[in-house]
Amino acid sequence: MPDKRRRRRAAVAVAAVLATALGMVGLAPRPASADPSVPVPANKIFTIAGRGWGHGRGMSQYGALAAAQTGETWREIISYYYPGAQVASISNPTIRVGLTTLVDGARVAAETGLSVTDGAGQTLTLPAKTSSGATITSWQVLVDSSNSSVLDLDLWTSGGRAKYKTTTAGSWQFTASDGSLNLLWSSGGSAAQVIGSLVANRNGSSILPVLRTSLEDYVRQVVPWESPSSWPVNALAAQAVAARSYGEWYQLHPRSSYYDICDSTSCQVFGGISAESSNSRQGVTATAHLALKFDGAIVRSEFGSSNGGAIAGTTLPQQAKLDIFERATPWWDNTWQTTVSASTLQSIWPSVGTVTSLTVTSRDGNGMWGGRVTGMKLTGTSGSVTFSGYSLQYNLGLRSTYFNIIRTPAEQLQDFTGDGYGDLVSISGHGTLQVSPGTAAGRFLGVRTISTSTAWSGYSQVLAVPSINGDHWADIIWMTSSGGFYDANSVTQGLNTTDTVTSSGMTNYRTCTGLANVRGNGTSSILCIRTSDNALVRFDSDGGGNISATPVVVTPSGWQGASYDRMFGSGDVTGDGKSDLLVRDSSGRVLAWQGNGSGGFTSAVQLFSSFGGYRDLTSPGDMNGDGLSDIVVRTSSGATSLLLSTGPKTYGSPIALPSSTDRLVP
């Protein structure tokens, strides 16, 4: 079935790519396996990061949009999302649409040429006025209040409702000479303009309204409600083929004896013709009578709003694969994040007692994190309970089962892939920008290019910064040798359009780094040493993507800025829950300046005594789930090591990572 939680948007703009050729390369899927258990956070709230909207099977509507915008035809889009299916010509049968959400009864506006037929075949031409000359404004079918086997046909005037005719044949059907009807709510308010005939069926003591229309007219009244009618014609044409096939399948396999298909997201959305545009009409007309068949049978062609970059599958071969078109979809269309309290989970599954941990036990193996969640386990003081990923989605109202339970707050991560793990950012020898995604095992995948521009090695500062716009994805900040100060937000597989903080005036700062939540408000700041006096200064973001070009001096007592040649850090290393700033001095010591939680720093504690031999030092965030930031170092020869925290201000032995001469971004 189509996506059950589809958004309604008049228009969606695909994110622009940087003018300097910011390339986008896909991320490799992780193997399916049980995730590490996530213990209840200190604040008793779990954070869930997700992808996609809907079940992910069949065509992605936002993927079709991105494909059409890059020049793909509707046939190419259909072929990609329904592999093995053939586009075939079909007839134009009548389809019965159960109006379970569009209206709450059977009332239509009066109009010239309106007639009604009962279930026995008796047809009446409906008058415009009553016998006393009052203008009839609408007609309504109701079950008779004194005899439930009788259906009343009532008329409405400005003076109220009056009985006009009755039938025991079980239904009345409204038909207009122009083929369209204006449906009203039972209160009389306008509901929708539709093409077809409205059948009011007696269903016990209530009325079940059903629209009878041709399949082609049905598709006209579905497409602009399933995909915004402002979208490109090829995207809407692909939607038309999918909607026609889906509708025809149910015409052949009715959902009930009264109707073939419903009008809600439980089937596919039917809303009448009021949302039509020239684009949607072109899309329907261009594919008239064309549907999908596989092995000679009509395909029940499911689709959804967004698959988040990984197709869950269809009933056709090649069911599961990464979606190349969704790579161009902006993060706000296929990325989401939400929270759930431990007490809420306990209320849903009370047998576990006080909740102690939440675990993803199995995934489908396709996409980020190992794919969509298939199994989960909730553990508490009284035991544990297992359930499906869909069960959690249903109980919490999540957009999909394609999600991850984040172990570490976003402000303690340099997370560029949005999966809740810290990532390494580097500049290649060619000057391109790369990311190595972090994993649940506390290691990193191979590098993925996020910008093919070769200009990155020429900037005086390039920084990886926890989110500056509140989307929970880390961002890139850079300064040019001429004094420009810029940022770009991360999006799926790349960077969004550049924002200019200031085009000049930033030549007086060195050894910068990004640090989130330094002010205790969840937003990021850029910290730099000012060359004129070696003061520590802070450039703050507002959480909405804007960074102030005016520095705030935050030099702490005992600061030795002239001796510091590196600054880095992404979160807490001292165990007090506040973001700390790491520096290396001229003697090779690494110090942690302890944050005070309100934008400044108190005193420094030594973490290491002899780190002078490392060319690069960075902190991707908390890699082992203990709430403390970890460190990655690299020598000039490319030897790279990960140092995992073993407690506040302490680290274990270096763990060797693959060697690389690429320069790590702090």
Side-chain angles (χ1 to χ4, degrees):
M1 69 187 67
D3 146 26
K4 289 192 175 182
R5 291 180 175 85
R6 186 169 300 109
R7 289 162 283 186
R8 297 289 176 264
R9 300 183 62 164
V12 177
V14 170
V17 181
L18 281 173
T20 52
L22 295 180
M24 296 186 287
V25 178
L27 298 176
R30 293 183 174 139
S33 61
D35 296 358
S37 291
V38 181
V40 174
N43 63 358
K44 310 297 184 185
I45 296 175
F46 292 98
T47 300
I48 302 173
R51 293 288 182 275
W53 198 322
H55 48 58
R57 298 189 295 271
M59 186 178 72
S60 160
Q61 290 165 312
Y62 281 115
L65 168 64
Q69 290 175 323
T70 57
E72 301 291 322
T73 67
W74 68 263
R75 286 183 180 273
E76 290 169 328
I77 296 170
I78 287 294
S79 176
Y80 180 78
Y81 285 111
Y82 304 101
Q86 294 81 44
V87 177
S89 181
I90 62 173
S91 61
N92 187 25
T94 296
I95 186 170
R96 301 171 301 162
V97 186
L99 303 181
T100 57
T101 60
L102 189 60
V103 292
D104 60 353
R107 186 172 178 179
V108 300
E111 60 178 283
T112 302
L114 188 64
S115 63
V116 67
T117 303
D118 72 359
Q122 175 188 198
T123 298
L124 305 170
T125 299
L126 297 177
K129 295 180 181 294
T130 66
S131 58
S132 62
T135 299
I136 299 171
T137 57
S138 64
W139 296 89
Q140 185 174 15
V141 176
L142 296 167
V143 177
D144 191 274
S145 59
S146 60
N147 185 349
S148 62
S149 65
V150 174
L151 282 184
D152 295 338
L153 174 62
D154 294 352
L155 60 84
W156 283 84
T157 67
S158 59
R161 179 166 58 92
K163 187 178 296 186
Y164 180 72
K165 294 290 183 181
T166 63
T167 185
T168 58
S171 67
W172 286 106
Q173 177 173 316
F174 293 103
T175 303
S177 57
D178 64 0
S180 68
L181 294 169
N182 290 307
L183 305 185
L184 306 178
W185 296 104
S186 59
S187 62
S190 179
Q193 184 181 9
V194 297
I195 303 172
S197 298
L198 180 68
V199 183
N201 297 287
R202 181 176 60 82
N203 184 20
S205 60
S206 63
I207 298 295
L208 176 62
V210 173
L211 188 80
R212 292 176 58 87
T213 189
S214 71
L215 182 61
E216 288 303 309
D217 284 336
Y218 168 74
V219 174
R220 277 184 63 186
Q221 298 173 89
V222 166
V223 169
W225 298 94
E226 283 289 354
S227 293
S229 60
S230 60
W231 281 10
V233 171
N234 276 305
L236 297 172
Q239 179 67 75
V241 174
R244 188 178 292 109
S245 298
Y246 193 84
E248 173 66 354
W249 192 93
Y250 275 104
Q251 195 272 334
L252 297 172
H253 306 84
R255 289 177 66 96
S256 84
S257 59
Y258 288 107
Y259 59 86
D260 303 320
I261 195 168
C262 66
D263 63 343
S264 71
T265 53
S266 295
C267 301
Q268 57 186 1
V269 179
F270 176 95
I273 61 174
S274 62
E276 269 195 317
S277 70
S278 59
N279 279 15
S280 69
R281 288 289 289 128
Q282 287 182 58
V284 173
T285 302
T287 62
H289 304 288
L290 297 180
L292 297 176
K293 289 187 176 182
F294 184 71
D295 286 343
I298 285 290
V299 174
R300 184 175 175 268
S301 46
E302 293 181 290
F303 51 86
S305 179
S306 163
N307 58 40
I311 301 171
T314 68
T315 56
L316 304 173
Q318 302 173 22
Q319 289 189 18
K321 61 183 178 182
L322 298 182
D323 189 339
I324 61 172
F325 296 131
E326 279 237 358
R327 293 178 185 173
T329 299
W331 65 265
W332 54 80
D333 283 328
N334 66 6
T335 301
W336 52 270
Q337 189 167 123
T338 190
T339 59
V340 58
S341 67
S343 60
T344 296
L345 294 176
Q346 183 178 338
S347 69
I348 299 171
W349 291 282
S351 65
V352 303
T354 302
V355 173
T356 57
S357 67
L358 182 63
T359 309
V360 172
T361 58
S362 61
R363 296 178 178 272
D364 69 5
N366 182 47
M368 188 180 288
W369 312 305
R372 288 171 172 79
V373 175
T374 54
M376 301 196 72
K377 180 180 181 180
L378 182 69
T379 302
T381 54
S382 300
S384 63
V385 62
T386 59
F387 46 88
S388 68
Y390 176 76
S391 180
L392 190 73
Q393 178 191 8
Y394 176 80
N395 278 285
L396 300 184
L398 304 180
R399 294 181 181 179
S400 71
T401 59
Y402 194 8
F403 59 79
N404 184 48
I405 312 299
I406 291 183
R407 299 174 302 160
T408 305
E411 61 264 21
Q412 290 189 202
L413 293 173
Q414 290 181 357
D415 180 9
F416 283 82
T417 56
D419 59 359
Y421 303 112
D423 306 319
L424 286 180
V425 181
S426 61
I427 299 173
S428 73
H430 300 292
T432 57
L433 194 66
Q434 307 169 141
V435 64
S436 298
T439 71
R443 300 298 184 270
F444 301 93
L445 300 176
V447 296
R448 307 288 187 267
T449 300
I450 58 173
S451 170
T452 56
S453 169
T454 58
W456 295 99
S457 59
Y459 298 139
S460 62
Q461 303 272 347
V462 179
L463 311 174
V465 182
S467 176
I468 63 171
N469 67 346
D471 64 359
H472 304 287
W473 292 33
D475 300 312
I476 292 293
I477 304 291
W478 67 96
M479 300 177 188
T480 65
S481 57
S482 60
F485 184 14
Y486 306 92
D487 73 78
N489 303 132
S490 296
V491 294
T492 306
Q493 326 301 343
L495 300 177
N496 206 341
T497 308
T498 300
D499 292 322
T500 301
V501 179
T502 178
S503 59
S504 61
M506 297 300 295
T507 56
N508 192 33
Y509 302 95
R510 66 176 179 86
T511 315
C512 299
T513 192
L515 195 60
N517 206 35
V518 68
R519 292 175 288 158
N521 62 356
T523 62
S524 294
S525 298
I526 312 302
L527 294 143
C528 297
I529 297 176
R530 191 163 56 192
T531 55
S532 60
D533 57 3
N534 292 304
L536 178 64
V537 301
R538 196 184 73 222
F539 299 90
D540 296 328
S541 69
D542 62 3
N546 302 306
I547 303 174
S548 172
T550 303
V552 177
V553 177
V554 292
T555 309
S557 176
W559 177 258
Q560 301 291 323
S563 70
Y564 302 147
D565 67 349
R566 293 288 188 276
M567 292 203 307
F568 60 105
S570 61
D572 180 25
V573 300
T574 59
D576 61 1
K578 300 171 183 175
S579 292
D580 305 312
L581 175 64
L582 306 185
V583 300
R584 184 180 67 180
D585 66 14
S586 56
S587 67
R589 295 184 306 161
V590 172
L591 308 175
W593 279 94
Q594 299 177 90
N596 62 13
S598 58
F601 301 89
T602 57
S603 58
V605 295
Q606 180 174 303
L607 300 182
F608 306 102
S609 60
S610 55
F611 266 41
Y614 293 114
R615 181 195 64 184
D616 304 330
L617 302 95
T618 189
S619 174
D622 175 20
M623 298 299 296
N624 59 357
D626 64 357
L628 300 170
S629 290
D630 304 308
I631 295 172
V632 175
V633 294
R634 181 170 287 171
T635 66
S636 296
S637 64
T640 307
S641 300
L642 168 66
L643 292 93
L644 294 174
S645 60
T646 55
K649 299 174 282 188
T650 61
Y651 290 83
S653 300
I655 300 169
L657 299 177
S659 180
S660 174
T661 57
D662 297 338
R663 184 174 294 275
L664 292 176
V665 170

